[in-house]
Amino acid sequence: MGFQMSFDDFLKGDSVFSHREESELLQAKKKIKNAMMSCIFNRYSLSCREVEVYKLFHYQGLNHRQIANLLNIKRTTSRNYLYRANKKINKISKKMEDL
């Protein structure tokens, strides 16, 4: 598929894709992100608790107090799990960028 975007379109933020194509691109991006996160959760040394807290915080939108109440842990423990999960995910992301 060949397309060109004019500089004016770029500055205005106009898209060269139709709404249907943009929707398909967004869906594909979500699928790729979900597959990558699933791979990271399953293959790389994230503990079950780290994955659980990460998902509750980022996907469910819960704060640390809510997560702590739900999992019967301290709020600081929730923060620590999320910190470690983010640190591991960032390390993996940097490795992928270097490829």
Side-chain angles (χ1 to χ4, degrees):
M1 168 177 27
F3 59 87
Q4 288 187 332
M5 176 183 251
S6 73
F7 188 66
D8 287 335
D9 290 339
F10 173 76
L11 291 176
K12 291 181 205 170
D14 292 343
S15 176
V16 296
F17 299 108
S18 69
H19 291 292
R20 183 184 60 79
E21 290 170 327
E22 282 188 14
S23 177
E24 289 173 359
L25 288 171
L26 287 174
Q27 288 175 358
K29 183 179 175 182
K30 282 182 184 179
K31 285 182 183 179
I32 291 168
K33 181 182 176 188
N34 288 339
M36 287 178 60
M37 293 307 292
S38 181
C39 180
I40 288 170
F41 291 154
N42 294 327
R43 289 198 72 201
Y44 299 98
S45 59
L46 269 74
S47 71
C48 292
R49 218 34 134 167
E50 289 168 345
V51 171
E52 194 171 19
V53 169
Y54 184 91
K55 286 181 177 180
L56 289 170
F57 186 84
H58 287 289
Y59 296 153
Q60 300 295 322
L62 300 181
N63 63 38
H64 289 293
R65 179 160 298 163
Q66 293 167 321
I67 294 169
N69 288 336
L70 185 66
L71 301 179
N72 199 27
I73 58 176
K74 292 181 181 180
R75 187 178 62 84
T76 55
T77 303
S78 172
R79 291 174 56 120
N80 289 335
Y81 281 130
L82 184 63
Y83 171 79
R84 288 197 306 254
N86 283 330
K87 189 174 178 180
K88 290 175 184 179
I89 290 168
N90 287 335
K91 184 177 178 182
I92 294 163
S93 296
K94 286 186 191 285
K95 285 183 181 180
M96 294 176 95
E97 286 177 6
D98 293 340
L99 295 178

